[in-house]
Amino acid sequence: RDLMKSFIRYSLILAVLGGLLFWGGRWGQQWLAERNKPRYRLARLETGDLRISVNATGELNPVLKVKVGSFVSGPIEKLHVDFNAEVKTGQILAEIDPRIYNAAVSRDQAALKTRRAEVDRVKAELQRAINDEKRSLALKEENADFISQAELDQYRFARSALEAQLQVAEAGVSQAEANLENSTANVGYTRITSPVDGVVIDRHINLGQVVQPTDNLYTIADLSRLWLVAEVPEQQAY
């Protein structure tokens, strides 16, 4: 009898616990479902611009930036522009002392005159040789015994040699003209000019400074066109 009562009591306890677990599980499922379901914010529909703000850092640079150098070396004699100066294409920025380059022009001009005079001299001698050859041939036709074949060959060889000398002399003139053209161009290169329209953003030279062809003298930028290299955090890049 006592055993039956204990069995009934434990059975009731288990039934109550089972009911609590059953209903507690259902309540827990409902609570989780309620907590995890999507929630919506309701607002009145309006028209307007959609904007997203993104914070970024970066560097602003001109699209066109030119480093200006020199083709010749020498001391800076004149400075015509400074920082922040607006310049145009072809405008003179600075000047290198041109004295040694002017001297080279004078030297090459004299050399060219000498070469041209040499051409004139050879032409005169060649004309004399041609005339001598013509006279010898005429004498040969009048009297075959008056002039020998060896003498005719000498006149012909003299004329041929002078023709070759004339070609050499004319080549010397061409070389002298090229040298003069080069030295004249170097005089022009002593004037440093701007290759573009823009603003001087940097100057690397001073009066009296000796510059070389590898030196950077000015930096000129076209500030009308700029570009930005920006760094955007990944969490904002959408």
Side-chain angles (χ1 to χ4, degrees):
R1 189 175 181 181
D2 292 335
L3 182 59
M4 181 60 69
K5 289 182 179 180
S6 297
F7 174 76
I8 294 172
R9 184 169 59 250
Y10 288 131
S11 298
L12 291 174
I13 293 173
L14 290 173
V16 172
L17 291 174
L20 291 175
L21 290 173
F22 174 77
W23 292 107
R26 293 193 61 182
W27 178 83
Q29 289 178 350
Q30 293 177 354
W31 179 81
L32 288 174
E34 182 67 22
R35 191 189 70 169
N36 295 330
K37 74 177 182 179
R39 285 172 170 71
Y40 302 95
R41 290 187 302 170
L42 302 179
R44 180 178 297 175
L45 182 62
E46 297 178 355
T47 60
D49 296 333
L50 179 63
R51 298 182 180 179
I52 299 177
S53 298
V54 178
N55 295 324
T57 58
E59 182 178 355
L60 194 63
N61 290 308
V63 173
L64 178 63
K65 184 167 65 175
V66 179
K67 293 182 178 180
V68 181
S70 169
F71 191 78
V72 297
S73 60
I76 296 296
E77 185 179 55
K78 296 179 182 179
L79 287 176
H80 295 284
V81 298
D82 207 339
F83 299 101
N84 298 323
E86 294 187 5
V87 295
K88 299 294 183 181
T89 301
Q91 180 177 339
I92 298 178
L93 308 176
E95 294 184 52
I96 295 173
D97 188 347
R99 285 178 291 180
I100 60 174
Y101 301 102
N102 287 331
V105 170
S106 298
R107 178 200 63 204
D108 292 338
Q109 287 174 338
L112 179 58
K113 289 180 180 179
T114 301
R115 296 295 185 184
R116 286 174 174 170
E118 178 67 10
V119 169
D120 293 338
R121 183 190 69 79
V122 175
K123 282 182 176 179
E125 291 188 3
L126 175 59
Q127 187 61 49
R128 184 179 63 182
I130 292 173
N131 294 337
D132 290 343
E133 185 182 16
K134 288 180 178 179
R135 283 193 293 266
S136 65
L137 290 173
L139 290 173
K140 184 69 173 176
E141 290 179 359
E142 291 178 3
N143 188 347
D145 297 329
F146 188 80
I147 187 169
S148 67
Q149 185 62 41
E151 290 176 313
L152 287 177
D153 291 341
Q154 288 179 356
Y155 287 123
R156 185 173 66 253
F157 293 151
R159 187 256 307 161
S160 298
L162 287 170
E163 287 176 343
Q165 288 184 29
L166 180 59
Q167 291 180 352
V168 173
E170 289 175 341
V173 170
S174 299
Q175 180 64 49
E177 289 174 342
N179 291 339
L180 178 58
E181 184 178 356
N182 181 72
S183 58
T184 302
N186 285 337
V187 172
Y189 287 133
T190 61
R191 294 183 291 273
I192 310 302
T193 59
S194 175
V196 295
D197 296 346
V199 176
V200 176
I201 62 174
D202 207 351
R203 173 173 65 84
H204 307 280
I205 55 173
N206 294 298
L207 282 174
Q209 179 179 341
V210 178
V211 298
Q212 302 295 332
T214 55
D215 295 340
N216 178 23
L217 310 184
Y218 288 93
T219 302
I220 299 175
D222 180 7
L223 300 183
S224 63
R225 295 181 299 164
L226 303 176
W227 63 290
L228 176 66
V229 178
E231 296 180 359
V232 182
E234 291 185 2
Q235 61 270 24
Q236 295 189 22
Y238 53 82

